[in-house]
Amino acid sequence: MTSAGVILYGPPGAGKDTITAELIRQDASYALFERLKAGPGRTAGYRLTSVQHIDDLDRAGDVLYRNARYEAEYAIDRGGISALVDRGHVPVLHMGQVTGARAVEAFPIQWVKVLLWSPLEVTRARCTERGDKDVEARLKAWHETQEDLLKHPGDSWSLALETQLLSPAEVARTIRRAVANNMVGRTQDIRRLVA
């Protein structure tokens, strides 16, 4: 079987953490890829490091994608993905930028790209309920994600799912079917979804 990975792309509050937890609950071969992070904010789900370390990896060609958001620096490294794949896991990556999702596809496994979407008010409610201290920054990121998608309407997505309409279990089952069927991205008109 070809090694596979899942890219979960979407705005804050779309359910990336919840759906990843459900994927792992349903099938222990799925594993969250913990991005490298240097800076303040949430620590769960990241491998904490320094900007210098990310710079060193980048110079060595080991960084597939890096970005800055919420006053922190983030990176997706080849070595981190390789470690999961080598242990037989299906890595699940959380993305907030279309260019990042594209960059990760350079890693040679079968990627299932999933657009998770939720309306702004759902994001506001979810971020408030989970106790985010930077709700306004997350709402700004929601708008940035919407703009990002509208600037790239021809990008291919294996799935586009509205998480306020489906349970996490349903979303996870749908993603697992897509992985099992090697469902590669296809061009979809996502403008109606995100407008």
Side-chain angles (χ1 to χ4, degrees):
M1 179 177 149
T2 303
S3 295
V6 176
I7 297 170
L8 297 181
Y9 172 93
K16 294 183 287 290
D17 289 333
T18 302
I19 289 160
T20 300
E22 183 61 24
L23 281 167
I24 294 165
R25 190 193 70 72
Q26 290 183 14
D27 183 342
S29 69
Y30 286 80
L32 172 65
F33 171 81
E34 295 183 330
R35 284 181 290 164
L36 294 167
K37 179 180 180 178
R42 292 174 56 185
T43 57
Y46 297 101
R47 291 175 288 147
L48 301 180
T49 189
S50 66
V51 172
Q52 181 63 51
H53 181 231
I54 293 172
D55 287 342
D56 291 345
L57 289 173
D58 204 1
R59 277 192 294 278
D62 196 41
V63 172
L64 290 164
Y65 183 70
R66 71 188 287 180
N67 69 297
R69 186 174 263 179
Y70 310 123
E71 300 177 23
E73 182 91 14
Y74 302 88
I76 296 173
D77 60 312
R78 292 176 187 278
I81 297 174
S82 291
L84 289 175
V85 171
D86 290 348
R87 291 195 301 269
H89 288 293
V90 177
V92 180
L93 279 66
H94 295 181
M95 297 299 305
Q97 300 81 27
V98 170
T99 55
R102 287 179 183 165
V104 166
E105 289 182 293
F107 191 88
I109 59 176
Q110 186 73 44
W111 289 104
V112 171
K113 282 176 51 181
V114 182
L115 168 58
L116 299 177
W117 191 253
S118 60
L120 180 63
E121 289 311 311
V122 171
T123 289
R124 182 189 310 275
R126 288 176 177 172
C127 289
T128 301
E129 287 167 13
R130 69 185 185 193
D132 288 342
K133 304 223 182 310
D134 56 353
V135 173
E136 290 308 312
R138 300 210 177 254
L139 295 178
K140 181 178 182 282
W142 184 95
H143 286 289
E144 290 168 355
T145 304
Q146 180 187 45
E147 289 172 22
D148 191 28
L149 285 165
L150 292 173
K151 285 180 188 171
H152 301 96
D155 266 52
S156 296
W157 300 96
S158 305
L159 299 166
L161 304 169
E162 295 181 77
T163 60
Q164 79 281 6
L165 302 178
L166 301 164
S167 72
E170 290 172 311
V171 172
R173 281 193 298 273
T174 301
I175 292 169
R176 289 177 56 226
R177 277 194 301 273
V179 170
N181 294 325
N182 293 322
M183 190 172 164
V184 297
R186 59 185 190 276
T187 303
Q188 301 180 42
D189 187 355
I190 50 86
R191 288 171 294 186
R192 178 204 60 81
L193 180 67
V194 304

